[in-house]
Amino acid sequence: MMARNSLRAGLLVVAATALTACGSLVPGSGSQSARGADAPATRIGSAPQSYAQRPEDASCLADLGAGGARFTPLPDAYTAPGCNRLGTVQLTALASDRTALAVSNIGPVQCGTAKVFNDWARFGVDRAARQILGSPVARIETMGSYSCRNVAGTERRSAHARAAAIDVSGFVLADGRRIVVKRDWQGGDAATREFLRVVHTSACKRFGTVLGPAYNAAHEDHLHLEGGSGSFCR
């Protein structure tokens, strides 16, 4: 009788051990061994899909890196109806022909818009500054990118609500000069005004929508640069 009880106890231990082992192999199980001790918790509002699962995003990241930009991919997030950050990056520097360009006050940007912005900074801004103003650009100043808001005066979501637009307010040259859209679009010297109009025209060749001081009073202090396939330039 004692031997039978011992055998039964041994079988129970083996069964419990087997169940524990199986449990540790189930993806997403609650055990620490399944997740890994250092695995980050899923953030509320973050989409489960990653760049590795979207070939178009992976391709964009490769192109952005090949263009010389410095950036960090960001997790997807849905923040409100019509507001999301899908396939975005955080830019830390842009590329010129010779060196890196700083960029200030910028938030999440869709990768495709970031790539166009990087190309514009190099070919449309820095080269124009060297040719017209005699100095390369050191920094591009922005008024931000992602913002969950509507187009002013409407109930339609802005491209900023999808992180698909950047508002550029000024440029700092390597020689210390600062070009400000609001002040210099009309009030700058001839060379500065020419520079601002050249970079505006260059942006119109690359971005889907470009709005500047000539469009309306809401854009008197910046250039609105919006990714996409359109061709609206004002």
Side-chain angles (χ1 to χ4, degrees):
M1 183 70 178
M2 184 177 297
R4 182 180 301 174
N5 289 339
S6 298
L7 177 59
R8 182 180 299 172
L11 290 173
L12 289 174
V13 170
V14 170
T17 302
L19 287 173
T20 301
C22 290
S24 69
L25 296 176
V26 176
S29 69
S31 70
Q32 187 179 52
S33 60
R35 296 194 309 268
D38 298 325
T42 301
R43 296 180 180 180
I44 295 175
S46 297
Q49 198 170 36
S50 68
Y51 278 101
Q53 295 172 302
R54 290 196 300 258
E56 66 275 16
D57 287 337
S59 176
C60 181
L61 291 177
D63 290 343
L64 185 59
R70 299 175 188 172
F71 61 91
T72 301
L74 299 174
D76 289 351
Y78 298 88
T79 54
C83 296
N84 60 69
R85 303 190 300 273
L86 306 180
T88 62
V89 299
Q90 178 64 58
L91 288 167
T92 55
L94 306 170
S96 72
D97 289 333
R98 303 175 182 177
T99 186
L101 304 179
V103 57
S104 64
N105 197 42
I106 195 167
V109 182
Q110 283 184 6
C111 181
T113 301
K115 182 182 180 301
V116 177
F117 185 58
N118 185 63
D119 292 343
W120 174 71
R122 178 178 183 178
F123 302 112
V125 176
D126 187 59
R127 290 185 180 182
R130 286 190 276 115
Q131 294 171 6
I132 299 170
L133 302 174
S135 174
V137 171
R139 182 173 73 250
I140 295 179
E141 298 181 331
T142 85
M143 298 171 67
S145 49
Y146 172 77
S147 178
C148 184
R149 67 173 188 256
N150 293 342
V151 175
T154 75
E155 295 183 358
R156 180 168 56 89
R157 286 298 194 191
S158 165
H160 289 286
R162 305 186 310 276
I166 303 168
D167 289 341
V168 173
S169 58
F171 310 87
V172 177
L173 306 184
D175 64 10
R177 282 179 289 171
R178 185 165 176 258
I179 312 300
V180 179
V181 173
K182 184 174 182 178
R183 180 191 66 204
D184 296 321
W185 183 265
Q186 295 293 352
D189 59 32
T192 299
R193 295 196 306 272
E194 180 187 359
F195 166 75
L196 287 174
R197 280 155 181 77
V198 166
V199 300
H200 177 272
T201 299
S202 176
C204 290
K205 296 177 181 178
R206 293 174 167 81
F207 292 92
T209 298
V210 176
L211 306 175
Y215 180 57
N216 60 18
H219 295 83
E220 66 176 357
D221 58 355
H222 68 276
L223 303 179
H224 170 90
L225 310 177
E226 182 179 328
S229 58
S231 58
F232 189 82
C233 174
R234 295 292 187 275

Tab-separated table of all heavy atoms in Angstrom, residues 85-146:
chain	number	residue	atom	x	y	z
A	85	ARG	N	-0.026	57.708	-35.508
A	85	ARG	CA	1.389	57.777	-35.886
A	85	ARG	C	1.790	56.385	-36.374
A	85	ARG	O	2.191	55.535	-35.592
A	85	ARG	CB	2.244	58.214	-34.695
A	85	ARG	CG	1.837	59.545	-34.108
A	85	ARG	CD	2.847	60.070	-33.081
A	85	ARG	NE	3.034	59.177	-31.965
A	85	ARG	CZ	2.280	59.174	-30.863
A	85	ARG	NH1	1.257	60.023	-30.769
A	85	ARG	NH2	2.516	58.342	-29.876
A	86	LEU	N	1.650	56.175	-37.660
A	86	LEU	CA	1.923	54.869	-38.262
A	86	LEU	C	3.159	54.958	-39.142
A	86	LEU	O	3.238	55.807	-40.021
A	86	LEU	CB	0.725	54.399	-39.093
A	86	LEU	CG	-0.631	54.363	-38.374
A	86	LEU	CD1	-1.717	53.868	-39.322
A	86	LEU	CD2	-0.564	53.504	-37.123
A	87	GLY	N	4.114	54.098	-38.906
A	87	GLY	CA	5.326	54.084	-39.714
A	87	GLY	C	6.139	55.350	-39.579
A	87	GLY	O	6.651	55.865	-40.565
A	88	THR	N	6.264	55.859	-38.358
A	88	THR	CA	6.962	57.128	-38.147
A	88	THR	C	8.378	56.941	-37.623
A	88	THR	O	8.741	55.880	-37.121
A	88	THR	CB	6.185	58.030	-37.164
A	88	THR	OG1	6.104	57.376	-35.882
A	88	THR	CG2	4.788	58.325	-37.674
A	89	VAL	N	9.138	58.023	-37.727
A	89	VAL	CA	10.500	58.046	-37.193
A	89	VAL	C	10.705	59.349	-36.423
A	89	VAL	O	9.982	60.321	-36.616
A	89	VAL	CB	11.562	57.958	-38.316
A	89	VAL	CG1	11.421	56.667	-39.097
A	89	VAL	CG2	11.471	59.170	-39.253
A	90	GLN	N	11.695	59.335	-35.558
A	90	GLN	CA	12.148	60.553	-34.897
A	90	GLN	C	13.477	60.955	-35.531
A	90	GLN	O	14.482	60.273	-35.372
A	90	GLN	CB	12.341	60.324	-33.392
A	90	GLN	CG	12.859	61.542	-32.643
A	90	GLN	CD	11.884	62.707	-32.678
A	90	GLN	OE1	10.740	62.572	-32.244
A	90	GLN	NE2	12.323	63.841	-33.208
A	91	LEU	N	13.462	62.035	-36.293
A	91	LEU	CA	14.686	62.518	-36.931
A	91	LEU	C	15.573	63.225	-35.914
A	91	LEU	O	15.094	64.032	-35.116
A	91	LEU	CB	14.348	63.488	-38.058
A	91	LEU	CG	13.731	62.895	-39.330
A	91	LEU	CD1	13.156	64.009	-40.204
A	91	LEU	CD2	14.769	62.095	-40.101
A	92	THR	N	16.862	62.939	-35.955
A	92	THR	CA	17.815	63.642	-35.100
A	92	THR	C	18.810	64.462	-35.908
A	92	THR	O	19.418	65.393	-35.384
A	92	THR	CB	18.583	62.654	-34.204
A	92	THR	OG1	19.202	61.652	-35.019
A	92	THR	CG2	17.630	61.973	-33.221
A	93	ALA	N	18.978	64.147	-37.173
A	93	ALA	CA	19.850	64.930	-38.041
A	93	ALA	C	19.540	64.619	-39.498
A	93	ALA	O	19.075	63.522	-39.824
A	93	ALA	CB	21.322	64.641	-37.761
A	94	LEU	N	19.774	65.612	-40.360
A	94	LEU	CA	19.594	65.461	-41.793
A	94	LEU	C	20.966	65.466	-42.456
A	94	LEU	O	21.982	65.717	-41.797
A	94	LEU	CB	18.724	66.600	-42.332
A	94	LEU	CG	17.375	66.776	-41.645
A	94	LEU	CD1	16.708	68.070	-42.094
A	94	LEU	CD2	16.466	65.583	-41.917
A	95	ALA	N	20.999	65.214	-43.746
A	95	ALA	CA	22.278	65.122	-44.442
A	95	ALA	C	22.426	66.228	-45.476
A	95	ALA	O	21.466	66.579	-46.161
A	95	ALA	CB	22.418	63.767	-45.130
A	96	SER	N	23.627	66.766	-45.575
A	96	SER	CA	23.970	67.672	-46.672
A	96	SER	C	25.056	66.994	-47.490
A	96	SER	O	25.416	65.846	-47.229
A	96	SER	CB	24.465	69.013	-46.122
A	96	SER	OG	25.752	68.875	-45.544
A	97	ASP	N	25.589	67.714	-48.457
A	97	ASP	CA	26.663	67.137	-49.264
A	97	ASP	C	27.920	66.910	-48.438
A	97	ASP	O	28.717	66.015	-48.744
A	97	ASP	CB	26.999	68.072	-50.431
A	97	ASP	CG	25.907	68.108	-51.484
A	97	ASP	OD1	25.172	67.103	-51.610
A	97	ASP	OD2	25.789	69.135	-52.184
A	98	ARG	N	28.097	67.703	-47.385
A	98	ARG	CA	29.365	67.692	-46.667
A	98	ARG	C	29.278	67.238	-45.222
A	98	ARG	O	30.250	66.709	-44.681
A	98	ARG	CB	29.982	69.106	-46.706
A	98	ARG	CG	30.176	69.629	-48.126
A	98	ARG	CD	30.671	71.063	-48.120
A	98	ARG	NE	30.824	71.602	-49.475
A	98	ARG	CZ	31.195	72.843	-49.748
A	98	ARG	NH1	31.440	73.689	-48.756
A	98	ARG	NH2	31.302	73.239	-51.015
A	99	THR	N	28.157	67.468	-44.572
A	99	THR	CA	28.062	67.174	-43.137
A	99	THR	C	26.617	66.945	-42.739
A	99	THR	O	25.717	66.950	-43.589
A	99	THR	CB	28.650	68.355	-42.326
A	99	THR	OG1	28.685	67.997	-40.936
A	99	THR	CG2	27.806	69.616	-42.500
A	100	ALA	N	26.393	66.756	-41.451
A	100	ALA	CA	25.031	66.569	-40.946
A	100	ALA	C	24.403	67.926	-40.649
A	100	ALA	O	25.088	68.873	-40.256
A	100	ALA	CB	25.066	65.719	-39.681
A	101	LEU	N	23.098	68.009	-40.851
A	101	LEU	CA	22.354	69.219	-40.552
A	101	LEU	C	21.472	68.956	-39.333
A	101	LEU	O	20.766	67.954	-39.274
A	101	LEU	CB	21.451	69.615	-41.728
A	101	LEU	CG	22.113	69.820	-43.091
A	101	LEU	CD1	21.051	70.177	-44.127
A	101	LEU	CD2	23.148	70.923	-43.003
A	102	ALA	N	21.499	69.864	-38.370
A	102	ALA	CA	20.632	69.732	-37.209
A	102	ALA	C	19.205	70.095	-37.606
A	102	ALA	O	18.980	70.865	-38.544
A	102	ALA	CB	21.124	70.642	-36.089
A	103	VAL	N	18.258	69.559	-36.872
A	103	VAL	CA	16.850	69.911	-37.082
A	103	VAL	C	16.227	70.055	-35.702
A	103	VAL	O	16.407	69.198	-34.829
A	103	VAL	CB	16.116	68.854	-37.934
A	103	VAL	CG1	16.195	67.475	-37.313
A	103	VAL	CG2	14.678	69.260	-38.180
A	104	SER	N	15.516	71.157	-35.474
A	104	SER	CA	15.015	71.441	-34.131
A	104	SER	C	13.498	71.332	-34.038
A	104	SER	O	12.780	71.556	-35.011
A	104	SER	CB	15.438	72.845	-33.692
A	104	SER	OG	14.860	73.837	-34.521
A	105	ASN	N	13.042	70.963	-32.845
A	105	ASN	CA	11.624	71.001	-32.478
A	105	ASN	C	10.748	70.087	-33.325
A	105	ASN	O	9.561	70.344	-33.503
A	105	ASN	CB	11.085	72.441	-32.565
A	105	ASN	CG	9.775	72.611	-31.808
A	105	ASN	OD1	9.622	72.089	-30.720
A	105	ASN	ND2	8.829	73.336	-32.398
A	106	ILE	N	11.308	69.027	-33.845
A	106	ILE	CA	10.535	68.128	-34.698
A	106	ILE	C	10.133	66.888	-33.910
A	106	ILE	O	10.885	66.410	-33.057
A	106	ILE	CB	11.327	67.746	-35.965
A	106	ILE	CG1	10.417	67.130	-37.018
A	106	ILE	CG2	12.486	66.803	-35.634
A	106	ILE	CD1	11.060	67.009	-38.386
A	107	GLY	N	8.918	66.406	-34.172
A	107	GLY	CA	8.418	65.214	-33.501
A	107	GLY	C	8.314	64.054	-34.476
A	107	GLY	O	9.035	64.011	-35.481
A	108	PRO	N	7.420	63.110	-34.223
A	108	PRO	CA	7.257	61.965	-35.121
A	108	PRO	C	6.871	62.409	-36.528
A	108	PRO	O	6.067	63.323	-36.706
A	108	PRO	CB	6.121	61.165	-34.467
A	108	PRO	CG	6.147	61.573	-33.032
A	108	PRO	CD	6.538	63.009	-33.037
A	109	VAL	N	7.467	61.754	-37.521
A	109	VAL	CA	7.183	62.045	-38.929
A	109	VAL	C	7.068	60.724	-39.672
A	109	VAL	O	7.867	59.808	-39.452
A	109	VAL	CB	8.315	62.883	-39.579
A	109	VAL	CG1	7.969	63.205	-41.021
A	109	VAL	CG2	8.572	64.151	-38.798
A	110	GLN	N	6.076	60.620	-40.534
A	110	GLN	CA	5.988	59.432	-41.373
A	110	GLN	C	7.291	59.253	-42.137
A	110	GLN	O	7.871	60.220	-42.634
A	110	GLN	CB	4.833	59.557	-42.357
A	110	GLN	CG	3.466	59.327	-41.762
A	110	GLN	CD	2.361	59.360	-42.815
A	110	GLN	OE1	2.637	59.450	-44.018
A	110	GLN	NE2	1.119	59.297	-42.380
A	111	CYS	N	7.736	58.025	-42.279
A	111	CYS	CA	9.027	57.764	-42.905
A	111	CYS	C	9.115	58.362	-44.305
A	111	CYS	O	10.122	58.959	-44.673
A	111	CYS	CB	9.279	56.255	-42.962
A	111	CYS	SG	10.874	55.819	-43.692
A	112	GLY	N	8.053	58.219	-45.104
A	112	GLY	CA	8.085	58.753	-46.458
A	112	GLY	C	8.254	60.255	-46.488
A	112	GLY	O	8.999	60.807	-47.302
A	113	THR	N	7.570	60.958	-45.582
A	113	THR	CA	7.713	62.410	-45.486
A	113	THR	C	9.104	62.779	-45.009
A	113	THR	O	9.709	63.752	-45.487
A	113	THR	CB	6.654	62.983	-44.529
A	113	THR	OG1	5.346	62.643	-45.014
A	113	THR	CG2	6.759	64.496	-44.422
A	114	ALA	N	9.640	62.001	-44.074
A	114	ALA	CA	10.996	62.249	-43.575
A	114	ALA	C	12.029	62.100	-44.683
A	114	ALA	O	12.996	62.874	-44.759
A	114	ALA	CB	11.315	61.294	-42.434
A	115	LYS	N	11.825	61.126	-45.567
A	115	LYS	CA	12.775	60.927	-46.666
A	115	LYS	C	12.762	62.112	-47.624
A	115	LYS	O	13.814	62.610	-48.038
A	115	LYS	CB	12.442	59.645	-47.425
A	115	LYS	CG	13.420	59.344	-48.561
A	115	LYS	CD	13.020	58.089	-49.311
A	115	LYS	CE	14.019	57.813	-50.433
A	115	LYS	NZ	14.108	58.925	-51.398
A	116	VAL	N	11.568	62.600	-47.962
A	116	VAL	CA	11.469	63.756	-48.850
A	116	VAL	C	12.085	64.985	-48.172
A	116	VAL	O	12.781	65.778	-48.804
A	116	VAL	CB	10.000	64.024	-49.228
A	116	VAL	CG1	9.882	65.273	-50.094
A	116	VAL	CG2	9.414	62.826	-49.970
A	117	PHE	N	11.834	65.131	-46.886
A	117	PHE	CA	12.373	66.254	-46.117
A	117	PHE	C	13.904	66.220	-46.111
A	117	PHE	O	14.571	67.253	-46.284
A	117	PHE	CB	11.828	66.171	-44.691
A	117	PHE	CG	12.199	67.338	-43.813
A	117	PHE	CD1	11.865	68.635	-44.157
A	117	PHE	CD2	12.859	67.117	-42.605
A	117	PHE	CE1	12.187	69.708	-43.323
A	117	PHE	CE2	13.181	68.172	-41.770
A	117	PHE	CZ	12.847	69.473	-42.130
A	118	ASN	N	14.476	65.043	-45.950
A	118	ASN	CA	15.924	64.900	-45.950
A	118	ASN	C	16.514	65.261	-47.313
A	118	ASN	O	17.538	65.961	-47.400
A	118	ASN	CB	16.306	63.466	-45.568
A	118	ASN	CG	17.805	63.271	-45.438
A	118	ASN	OD1	18.458	63.876	-44.587
A	118	ASN	ND2	18.360	62.410	-46.283
A	119	ASP	N	15.865	64.802	-48.384
A	119	ASP	CA	16.341	65.127	-49.736
A	119	ASP	C	16.228	66.633	-50.002
A	119	ASP	O	17.128	67.236	-50.596
A	119	ASP	CB	15.532	64.357	-50.786
A	119	ASP	CG	15.798	62.856	-50.747
A	119	ASP	OD1	16.820	62.452	-50.152
A	119	ASP	OD2	14.985	62.102	-51.309
A	120	TRP	N	15.122	67.232	-49.569
A	120	TRP	CA	14.930	68.673	-49.750
A	120	TRP	C	15.989	69.460	-48.990
A	120	TRP	O	16.533	70.437	-49.509
A	120	TRP	CB	13.531	69.051	-49.282
A	120	TRP	CG	13.234	70.527	-49.279
A	120	TRP	CD1	13.055	71.334	-50.362
A	120	TRP	CD2	13.053	71.355	-48.127
A	120	TRP	NE1	12.779	72.629	-49.961
A	120	TRP	CE2	12.768	72.669	-48.592
A	120	TRP	CE3	13.096	71.130	-46.752
A	120	TRP	CZ2	12.535	73.734	-47.725
A	120	TRP	CZ3	12.854	72.177	-45.887
A	120	TRP	CH2	12.592	73.471	-46.376
A	121	ALA	N	16.291	69.032	-47.770
A	121	ALA	CA	17.299	69.723	-46.962
A	121	ALA	C	18.654	69.730	-47.661
A	121	ALA	O	19.377	70.742	-47.643
A	121	ALA	CB	17.419	69.059	-45.594
A	122	ARG	N	18.968	68.637	-48.296
A	122	ARG	CA	20.280	68.532	-48.951
A	122	ARG	C	20.319	69.259	-50.285
A	122	ARG	O	21.176	70.125	-50.516
A	122	ARG	CB	20.630	67.058	-49.162
A	122	ARG	CG	21.960	66.840	-49.883
A	122	ARG	CD	22.268	65.364	-50.027
A	122	ARG	NE	23.565	65.143	-50.655
A	122	ARG	CZ	24.091	63.944	-50.869
A	122	ARG	NH1	23.425	62.855	-50.494
A	122	ARG	NH2	25.266	63.828	-51.454
A	123	PHE	N	19.369	68.920	-51.164
A	123	PHE	CA	19.429	69.430	-52.530
A	123	PHE	C	18.719	70.767	-52.721
A	123	PHE	O	19.111	71.557	-53.585
A	123	PHE	CB	18.836	68.388	-53.490
A	123	PHE	CG	19.518	67.057	-53.434
A	123	PHE	CD1	18.865	65.941	-52.941
A	123	PHE	CD2	20.833	66.921	-53.869
A	123	PHE	CE1	19.507	64.705	-52.887
A	123	PHE	CE2	21.485	65.694	-53.818
A	123	PHE	CZ	20.815	64.580	-53.325
A	124	GLY	N	17.692	71.015	-51.919
A	124	GLY	CA	16.933	72.242	-52.109
A	124	GLY	C	17.257	73.366	-51.159
A	124	GLY	O	17.018	74.533	-51.473
A	125	VAL	N	17.808	73.053	-49.994
A	125	VAL	CA	18.073	74.073	-48.977
A	125	VAL	C	19.562	74.366	-48.844
A	125	VAL	O	20.011	75.507	-49.038
A	125	VAL	CB	17.486	73.649	-47.611
A	125	VAL	CG1	17.845	74.682	-46.535
A	125	VAL	CG2	15.977	73.488	-47.703
A	126	ASP	N	20.339	73.350	-48.511
A	126	ASP	CA	21.756	73.587	-48.259
A	126	ASP	C	22.488	74.095	-49.492
A	126	ASP	O	23.291	75.039	-49.416
A	126	ASP	CB	22.413	72.302	-47.744
A	126	ASP	CG	23.859	72.526	-47.311
A	126	ASP	OD1	24.082	73.354	-46.409
A	126	ASP	OD2	24.751	71.884	-47.894
A	127	ARG	N	22.205	73.499	-50.624
A	127	ARG	CA	22.882	73.951	-51.848
A	127	ARG	C	22.456	75.370	-52.223
A	127	ARG	O	23.276	76.180	-52.676
A	127	ARG	CB	22.595	72.980	-53.002
A	127	ARG	CG	23.270	71.626	-52.824
A	127	ARG	CD	23.069	70.721	-54.032
A	127	ARG	NE	23.715	69.430	-53.847
A	127	ARG	CZ	23.730	68.463	-54.762
A	127	ARG	NH1	23.107	68.652	-55.934
A	127	ARG	NH2	24.338	67.317	-54.523
A	128	ALA	N	21.175	75.683	-52.004
A	128	ALA	CA	20.703	77.047	-52.294
A	128	ALA	C	21.369	78.055	-51.366
A	128	ALA	O	21.730	79.162	-51.788
A	128	ALA	CB	19.189	77.112	-52.151
A	129	ALA	N	21.532	77.677	-50.109
A	129	ALA	CA	22.158	78.597	-49.152
A	129	ALA	C	23.607	78.872	-49.538
A	129	ALA	O	24.074	80.028	-49.478
A	129	ALA	CB	22.097	78.004	-47.744
A	130	ARG	N	24.319	77.844	-49.949
A	130	ARG	CA	25.722	78.045	-50.340
A	130	ARG	C	25.827	78.890	-51.607
A	130	ARG	O	26.726	79.737	-51.722
A	130	ARG	CB	26.417	76.693	-50.516
A	130	ARG	CG	26.715	76.013	-49.182
A	130	ARG	CD	27.601	74.797	-49.305
A	130	ARG	NE	26.837	73.600	-49.641
A	130	ARG	CZ	26.954	72.935	-50.774
A	130	ARG	NH1	27.791	73.360	-51.713
A	130	ARG	NH2	26.251	71.843	-50.996
A	131	GLN	N	24.917	78.675	-52.538
A	131	GLN	CA	24.975	79.409	-53.804
A	131	GLN	C	24.501	80.847	-53.681
A	131	GLN	O	25.078	81.762	-54.271
A	131	GLN	CB	24.156	78.673	-54.861
A	131	GLN	CG	24.722	77.316	-55.251
A	131	GLN	CD	23.783	76.507	-56.131
A	131	GLN	OE1	22.735	77.007	-56.555
A	131	GLN	NE2	24.140	75.258	-56.397
A	132	ILE	N	23.433	81.064	-52.903
A	132	ILE	CA	22.823	82.393	-52.834
A	132	ILE	C	23.360	83.233	-51.676
A	132	ILE	O	23.594	84.435	-51.816
A	132	ILE	CB	21.286	82.259	-52.718
A	132	ILE	CG1	20.728	81.542	-53.949
A	132	ILE	CG2	20.621	83.628	-52.548
A	132	ILE	CD1	19.262	81.152	-53.827
A	133	LEU	N	23.572	82.582	-50.531
A	133	LEU	CA	23.969	83.306	-49.327
A	133	LEU	C	25.433	83.126	-48.963
A	133	LEU	O	25.932	83.770	-48.039
A	133	LEU	CB	23.085	82.872	-48.146
A	133	LEU	CG	21.576	83.090	-48.347
A	133	LEU	CD1	20.797	82.490	-47.182
A	133	LEU	CD2	21.264	84.569	-48.504
A	134	GLY	N	26.120	82.239	-49.658
A	134	GLY	CA	27.555	82.063	-49.428
A	134	GLY	C	27.914	81.300	-48.175
A	134	GLY	O	29.067	81.337	-47.716
A	135	SER	N	26.971	80.575	-47.607
A	135	SER	CA	27.239	79.789	-46.396
A	135	SER	C	26.348	78.561	-46.380
A	135	SER	O	25.170	78.646	-46.763
A	135	SER	CB	26.979	80.624	-45.142
A	135	SER	OG	27.111	79.828	-43.964
A	136	PRO	N	26.855	77.416	-45.944
A	136	PRO	CA	25.991	76.241	-45.816
A	136	PRO	C	25.027	76.402	-44.647
A	136	PRO	O	25.182	77.285	-43.804
A	136	PRO	CB	26.980	75.096	-45.554
A	136	PRO	CG	28.167	75.761	-44.949
A	136	PRO	CD	28.260	77.111	-45.599
A	137	VAL	N	24.031	75.546	-44.614
A	137	VAL	CA	23.060	75.538	-43.520
A	137	VAL	C	23.576	74.663	-42.384
A	137	VAL	O	24.131	73.588	-42.616
A	137	VAL	CB	21.693	75.013	-44.007
A	137	VAL	CG1	20.733	74.801	-42.847
A	137	VAL	CG2	21.093	75.980	-45.017
A	138	ALA	N	23.391	75.135	-41.155
A	138	ALA	CA	23.772	74.341	-39.983
A	138	ALA	C	22.557	73.693	-39.329
A	138	ALA	O	22.645	72.601	-38.775
A	138	ALA	CB	24.494	75.220	-38.965
A	139	ARG	N	21.413	74.388	-39.379
A	139	ARG	CA	20.215	73.859	-38.715
A	139	ARG	C	18.950	74.337	-39.421
A	139	ARG	O	18.874	75.481	-39.866
A	139	ARG	CB	20.181	74.321	-37.253
A	139	ARG	CG	18.975	73.775	-36.461
A	139	ARG	CD	19.032	74.107	-34.977
A	139	ARG	NE	18.760	75.511	-34.674
A	139	ARG	CZ	19.649	76.383	-34.242
A	139	ARG	NH1	20.918	76.013	-34.073
A	139	ARG	NH2	19.312	77.636	-33.982
A	140	ILE	N	17.974	73.436	-39.501
A	140	ILE	CA	16.643	73.789	-39.978
A	140	ILE	C	15.725	73.829	-38.759
A	140	ILE	O	15.667	72.859	-37.986
A	140	ILE	CB	16.124	72.776	-41.013
A	140	ILE	CG1	17.006	72.816	-42.270
A	140	ILE	CG2	14.675	73.067	-41.379
A	140	ILE	CD1	16.585	71.834	-43.347
A	141	GLU	N	15.029	74.946	-38.589
A	141	GLU	CA	14.153	75.110	-37.430
A	141	GLU	C	12.709	74.822	-37.839
A	141	GLU	O	12.245	75.293	-38.888
A	141	GLU	CB	14.265	76.535	-36.886
A	141	GLU	CG	15.670	76.864	-36.391
A	141	GLU	CD	15.798	78.261	-35.839
A	141	GLU	OE1	15.047	79.159	-36.290
A	141	GLU	OE2	16.650	78.469	-34.954
A	142	THR	N	12.011	74.061	-37.025
A	142	THR	CA	10.625	73.724	-37.329
A	142	THR	C	9.709	74.137	-36.179
A	142	THR	O	10.156	74.424	-35.066
A	142	THR	CB	10.433	72.215	-37.591
A	142	THR	OG1	10.250	71.517	-36.348
A	142	THR	CG2	11.614	71.628	-38.349
A	143	MET	N	8.421	74.134	-36.487
A	143	MET	CA	7.386	74.381	-35.483
A	143	MET	C	6.685	73.069	-35.140
A	143	MET	O	5.595	73.069	-34.567
A	143	MET	CB	6.392	75.413	-36.013
A	143	MET	CG	7.017	76.762	-36.306
A	143	MET	SD	5.905	77.910	-37.170
A	143	MET	CE	4.664	78.203	-35.917
A	144	GLY	N	7.300	71.968	-35.511
A	144	GLY	CA	6.763	70.662	-35.178
A	144	GLY	C	6.274	69.894	-36.385
A	144	GLY	O	6.327	70.347	-37.523
A	145	SER	N	5.790	68.697	-36.102
A	145	SER	CA	5.300	67.802	-37.152
A	145	SER	C	3.971	67.188	-36.730
A	145	SER	O	2.917	67.671	-37.117
A	145	SER	CB	6.343	66.721	-37.450
A	145	SER	OG	6.804	66.113	-36.233
A	146	TYR	N	3.998	66.150	-35.899
A	146	TYR	CA	2.746	65.508	-35.485
A	146	TYR	C	1.960	66.390	-34.522
A	146	TYR	O	2.500	66.947	-33.565
A	146	TYR	CB	3.016	64.160	-34.824
A	146	TYR	CG	1.751	63.571	-34.227
A	146	TYR	CD1	0.796	62.981	-35.042
A	146	TYR	CD2	1.509	63.661	-32.864
A	146	TYR	CE1	-0.383	62.484	-34.514
A	146	TYR	CE2	0.330	63.158	-32.327
A	146	TYR	CZ	-0.612	62.567	-33.152
A	146	TYR	OH	-1.766	62.090	-32.623
